[in-house]
Amino acid sequence: MKTDLQYAIERNVATNRRAVENYNLLRQQEQNLATEALELALDRESLGNN
């Protein structure tokens, strides 16, 4: 039978896993936005040179 401490540890592990997943998703979104911003800047520069 599990103790309260074991349940608390399991909940903490699950919470930490979700936090890591969310962090990784945010980092991916950040990279996607940075790529999009760079592409927009390059497009703008290209249009300005025509």
Side-chain angles (χ1 to χ4, degrees), residues 4-46:
D4 288 345
L5 179 58
Q6 287 171 318
Y7 278 117
I9 290 169
E10 288 178 3
R11 284 193 307 272
N12 187 261
V13 168
T15 298
N16 289 344
R17 283 191 182 131
R18 284 192 305 275
V20 169
E21 289 171 6
N22 288 338
Y23 174 80
N24 289 335
L25 286 172
L26 286 171
R27 287 302 305 260
Q28 185 62 51
Q29 289 174 342
E30 181 183 39
Q31 289 175 348
N32 291 345
L33 287 171
T35 299
E36 186 177 338
L38 178 60
E39 288 172 355
L40 288 170
L42 291 173
D43 287 348
R44 183 176 177 202
E45 184 178 303
S46 171

